């Protein structure tokens, strides 16, 4: 296939996966469906896509990590930072060293630096993959937050450790002091570049738009380019482009809270980024499936070279690696929780049924996915001498197989662990309390600003009575409050009135929109007029959908 045909077919496969995951009555992780479709593509076209490792990493890693950092809750990051960083840094190092030696012990033909690199790239977890599995499950909010936060930062630490191990494999030399110094420089400078890039681009954007106004296309394009700019600058100066992309995303999250973006830009930018995330993650797994036939074919040759008669021996190795990752996660989480709890409370953590369940969910929820695949495919094809990079095909095979096994394992065990767990829907849950806090603060601010505005309006419209202004203000406030409140009180008359009004509004909008479509199809009004009217109705409908 040529490049255009390849992109078109992969896009169709991603689209089909989104349809299938909703149609299939039982829960199958979206990545598994995409991998299967990729294998179908390989079977039909009989020729795999040739992937250039560095370009693969550049295309997929910066936007995915940037978006993870952008959408990471700052509240969760502050509240769970101890647990998140114990997993994202401590567990990565523990996994890299422990699993690296185990891989080298199982497969002596794989050089130790390559084993460490493979272990490092197997350390990052994929929040998108586990979200695909857990979308119909009642995963406790705190556990899901830890998994998402861990995935954000262990992507960065795992990839930095991976790149350092690859450098050792290429150069053949290693110094703990030099490695530590390099790691600190690469990490801190990468973070600084990510922060500075986003801040400077946002600063100049704000200055320009304050003077000349916003242009929707330019605003969205700038946000799409930010992660690549941060990544490329960091890589150019020899620091971590991965950490630069993460830091750029977190900085974007903080700057966004300052406002300064038009509502329409914010809505459409969010929709574009949702599409980018879905497409890139889908493309990675479709490409994995498309590459699997060649990977398995190469694995047969690899199995012969290392003394196995079939690929089944390599599948056993991959299964052992996957089980080791789960055991390492369980051991690390159990130990770190006990140490943290003891330091805070001077006593051991009681191992209750809920605590054990949460630890097991974190252990089995460490699904490998997009970052692992993107990283392992970035293994160099050749050494500087021109020789083939040692054990590359074997490492790619093991990583791809571990991804699939971890997806299947999580699909089986997470539903079992969470089958008696119910989603937190209590009216006193933290999110509801925060919404109430925001609504109360907004009410105070609204009352302050409305007082002056109403004086001016009353002077301009003396024919309207005081009762009208009071009724209007109360009705609009009830409407505002109920938009954010998922727990409607059936005994509250204002809430009931809002529900009735909301249903009537939606009925009017849907009926009016259908009539507009009919008039346009009958050529009684122009397409331009119809589109403009329907767009306004669509925005109005979004406000009142529960």
């Amino acid at each position: 296939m040529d490049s255009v045909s390849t992109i078109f077919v992969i896009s169709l496969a991603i689209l089909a996966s989104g349809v299938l995951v909703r149609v299939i009555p039982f829960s199958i992780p979206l990545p598994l469906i995409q991998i299967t479709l990729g294998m179908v593509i390989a079977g039909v076209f009989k020729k795999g896509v040739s992937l250039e490792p560095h370009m693969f990493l550049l295309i997929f890693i910066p936007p995915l990590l940037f978006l993870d950092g952008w959408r990471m809750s700052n509240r969760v990051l502050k509240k769970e930072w101890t647990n998140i960083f114990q997993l994202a840094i401590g567990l990565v190092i523990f996994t890299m060293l422990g699993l690296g030696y185990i891989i080298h012990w199982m497969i002596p033909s794989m050089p130790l630096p390559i084993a460490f690199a493979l272990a490092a790239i197997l350390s990052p977890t994929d929040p998108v993959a586990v979200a695909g599995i857990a979308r119909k499950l009642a995963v406790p909010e705190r556990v899901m937050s830890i998994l998402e936060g861990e995935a954000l930062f262990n992507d960065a630490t795992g990839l930095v450790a991976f790149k350092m191990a690859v450098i050792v494999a290429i150069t053949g030399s290693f110094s703990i002091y030099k490695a530590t110094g390099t790691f600190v420089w690469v990490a801190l400078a990468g973070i600084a570049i990510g922060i500075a890039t986003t801040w400077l681009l946002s600063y100049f954007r704000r200055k320009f738009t304050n003077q000349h106004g916003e242009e929707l296309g330019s605003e969205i394009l700038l946000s799409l380019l930010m992660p690549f700019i941060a990544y490329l600058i960091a890589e150019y100066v020899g620091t971590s482009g991965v950490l630069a992309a993460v830091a750029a995303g977190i900085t974007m999250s903080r700057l966004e809270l300052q406002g300064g973006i038009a509502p329409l830009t914010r809505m459409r930018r969010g929709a574009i980024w949702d599409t980018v995330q879905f497409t890139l993650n889908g493309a990675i797994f479709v490409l994995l499936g498309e590459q699997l036939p060649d990977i398995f074919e190469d694995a047969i040759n690899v199995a012969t070279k290392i003394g196995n008669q079939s690929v089944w021996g390599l599948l056993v190795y991959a299964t052992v690696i996957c089980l080791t990752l789960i055991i390492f996660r369980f051991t690390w989480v159990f130990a770190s929780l006990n140490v943290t709890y003891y330091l805070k409370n001077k006593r051991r953590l009681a191992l209750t049924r809920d605590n054990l369940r949460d630890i097991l969910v974190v252990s089995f929820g460490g699904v490998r996915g997009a970052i692992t695949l993107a990283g392992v495919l970035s293994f160099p094809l050749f050494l500087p001498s021109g020789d083939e990079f040692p054990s590359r095909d074997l490492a790619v095979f093991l990583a791809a197989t571990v991804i699939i096994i971890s997806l299947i394992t999580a699909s089986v065990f997470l539903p079992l662990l969470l089958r008696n767990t119910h989603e937190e829907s209590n009216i006193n849950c933290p999110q509801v309390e925060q919404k109430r806090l925001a609504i109360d603060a907004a009410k105070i601010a609204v009352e302050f600003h409305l007082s002056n505005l109403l004086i001016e309006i009353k002077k301009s419209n003396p024919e309207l009575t005081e009762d009208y202004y009071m009724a209007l203000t109360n009705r609009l406030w009830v409407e505002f409050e109920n938009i954010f409140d998922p727990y409607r009180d059936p005994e509250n008359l204002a809430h009931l009135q809002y529900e009735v009004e909301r249903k009537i509004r939606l009925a009017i909008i849907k009926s009016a929109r259908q009539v507009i479509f009919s008039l346009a199809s009958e050529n009684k009004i122009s397409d331009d007029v119809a589109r403009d009217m329907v767009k306004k109705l669509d925005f109005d409908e979004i406000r009142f959908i529960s």
Side-chain angles (χ1 to χ4, degrees):
M1 290 188 291
D2 58 34
S3 299
V4 175
S5 300
T6 300
I7 294 171
F8 180 71
V9 172
I10 290 175
S11 299
L12 285 179
I14 297 169
L15 178 62
S17 71
V19 174
L20 290 173
V21 78
R22 286 174 287 172
V23 171
I24 297 174
F26 46 89
S27 181
I28 297 181
L30 180 61
L32 280 181
I33 296 174
Q34 291 164 341
I35 290 170
T36 304
L37 292 174
M39 295 177 69
V40 171
I41 292 172
V44 171
F45 292 97
K46 307 295 183 183
K47 185 179 180 181
V49 177
S50 179
L51 298 175
E52 204 285 316
H54 294 293
M55 286 303 298
F56 188 86
L57 198 65
L58 171 63
I59 291 169
F60 290 101
I61 297 302
L64 291 175
L65 292 186
F66 177 81
L67 189 60
D68 283 344
W70 188 355
R71 294 183 173 176
M72 179 67 190
S73 168
N74 290 293
R75 181 186 66 86
V76 169
L77 195 57
K78 290 179 181 178
K79 183 180 179 182
E80 302 292 348
W81 72 269
T82 303
N83 293 322
I84 288 173
F85 281 97
Q86 283 177 349
L87 290 170
I89 298 177
L91 180 56
V92 168
I93 296 172
F94 177 60
T95 300
M96 177 182 175
L97 296 176
L99 183 60
Y101 279 112
I102 289 173
I103 292 172
H104 181 63
W105 172 75
M106 286 193 305
I107 313 172
S109 63
M110 179 178 285
L112 188 59
I114 306 299
F116 282 143
L118 177 58
I121 205 59
L122 288 172
S123 300
T125 54
D126 188 342
V128 177
V130 75
I133 299 169
R135 69 185 188 278
K136 297 179 181 178
L137 302 175
V139 180
E141 181 186 357
R142 179 171 179 264
V143 173
M144 199 65 197
S145 298
I146 291 173
L147 285 172
E148 290 175 345
E150 175 205 5
L152 172 62
F153 290 98
N154 69 11
D155 287 347
T157 53
L159 282 167
V160 170
F162 166 77
K163 291 181 70 174
M164 293 183 66
V166 170
I167 290 172
V168 172
I170 292 173
T171 62
S173 61
F174 177 76
S175 166
I176 185 65
Y177 300 107
K178 185 177 180 180
T180 303
T182 301
F183 183 85
V184 171
W185 154 251
V186 163
L188 294 181
I191 292 171
I193 288 172
I195 294 172
T197 300
T198 303
W199 190 88
L200 286 172
L201 288 174
S202 299
Y203 174 80
F204 288 116
R205 184 211 70 82
R206 187 170 61 252
K207 288 289 186 181
F208 183 84
T209 55
N210 285 344
Q211 185 174 355
H212 302 285
E214 287 189 13
E215 199 281 316
L216 182 60
S218 299
E219 294 288 327
I220 294 173
L221 182 59
L222 177 62
S223 74
L224 292 172
L225 290 176
M226 273 187 184
F228 295 102
I229 294 172
Y231 181 91
L232 290 171
I233 292 174
E235 290 292 315
Y236 179 77
V237 300
T239 62
S240 172
V242 171
L243 284 170
V246 173
I250 295 175
T251 306
M252 186 70 173
S253 174
R254 299 301 299 172
L255 293 174
E256 189 178 43
L257 298 178
Q258 299 176 7
I261 301 290
L264 182 60
T265 299
R266 193 158 40 242
M267 288 179 64
R268 292 191 175 176
R269 187 180 63 183
I272 293 292
W273 270 105
D274 286 340
T275 305
V276 168
Q277 182 183 41
F278 178 77
T279 303
L280 290 181
N281 275 290
I284 285 177
F285 287 109
V286 171
L287 286 171
L288 169 59
E290 194 273 340
Q291 298 283 307
L292 277 181
D294 288 339
I295 290 173
F296 276 90
E297 185 178 337
D298 293 338
I300 295 173
N301 298 327
V302 171
T304 304
K305 289 180 183 178
I306 65 175
N308 290 298
Q309 298 302 315
S310 71
V311 77
W312 294 108
L314 299 183
L315 290 174
V316 171
Y317 292 152
T319 303
V320 171
I321 290 172
C322 200
L323 289 174
T324 303
L325 288 169
I326 294 172
I327 293 170
F328 277 11
R329 285 181 68 82
F330 182 89
T331 304
W332 184 269
V333 172
F334 181 80
S336 62
L337 279 178
N338 272 282
V339 170
T340 304
Y341 190 84
Y342 183 82
L343 292 175
K344 287 183 178 180
N345 302 284
K346 304 303 179 185
R347 57 189 176 89
R348 282 183 67 251
L349 175 68
L351 192 61
T352 63
R353 181 178 177 180
D354 287 346
N355 288 338
L356 180 60
R357 178 208 63 200
D358 290 349
I359 294 173
L360 287 171
V361 169
V362 172
S363 302
F364 285 99
V367 179
R368 273 66 193 175
I371 301 300
T372 293
L373 180 63
V376 79
L377 287 176
S378 72
F379 264 125
L381 296 173
F382 300 99
L383 294 171
S385 62
D387 296 330
E388 287 188 2
F389 193 81
S391 302
R392 185 184 189 276
D393 291 337
L394 176 58
V396 172
F397 170 80
L398 291 174
T401 309
V402 167
I403 290 171
I404 295 171
I405 294 174
S406 70
L407 285 167
I408 295 172
T409 304
S411 302
V412 173
F413 285 98
L414 286 184
L416 292 175
L417 291 169
L418 297 168
R419 59 185 172 184
N420 296 320
T421 306
H422 303 287
E423 290 188 33
E424 185 178 37
S425 58
N426 192 314
I427 195 168
N428 295 315
C429 73
Q431 286 192 354
V432 176
E433 292 176 357
Q434 290 175 49
K435 286 181 180 179
R436 285 176 177 162
L437 173 64
I439 290 171
D440 290 342
K443 190 170 186 177
I444 295 172
V446 167
E447 289 175 350
F448 175 77
H449 290 292
L450 271 184
S451 57
N452 294 327
L453 178 62
L454 283 174
I455 292 173
E456 296 177 7
I457 293 176
K458 289 174 183 178
K459 289 180 180 178
S460 304
N461 303 276
E463 63 275 14
L464 298 176
T465 65
E466 188 69 30
D467 290 340
Y468 164 78
Y469 289 112
M470 185 175 295
L472 175 62
T473 303
N474 290 336
R475 184 173 63 82
L476 292 178
W477 178 255
V478 168
E479 178 182 300
F480 169 83
E481 185 176 5
N482 280 274
I483 287 174
F484 301 103
D485 188 2
Y487 302 104
R488 310 253 164 77
D489 183 1
E491 296 182 2
N492 187 319
L493 182 60
H495 285 209
L496 294 176
Q497 290 173 339
Y498 169 78
E499 276 298 301
V500 171
E501 182 176 335
R502 186 179 69 85
K503 291 176 182 177
I504 293 174
R505 279 179 181 267
L506 290 174
I508 292 172
I509 290 170
K510 291 177 181 178
S511 298
R513 183 166 48 215
Q514 192 56 50
V515 169
I516 292 169
F517 284 141
S518 297
L519 291 172
S521 64
E522 295 168 4
N523 293 320
K524 294 182 178 178
I525 62 175
S526 71
D527 293 350
D528 291 338
V529 170
R531 277 192 289 267
D532 184 61
M533 293 180 71
V534 167
K535 181 173 69 174
K536 291 181 171 63
L537 290 175
D538 289 344
F539 281 128
D540 206 29
E541 181 178 8
I542 291 171
R543 295 174 55 227
F544 294 98
I545 294 177
S546 298

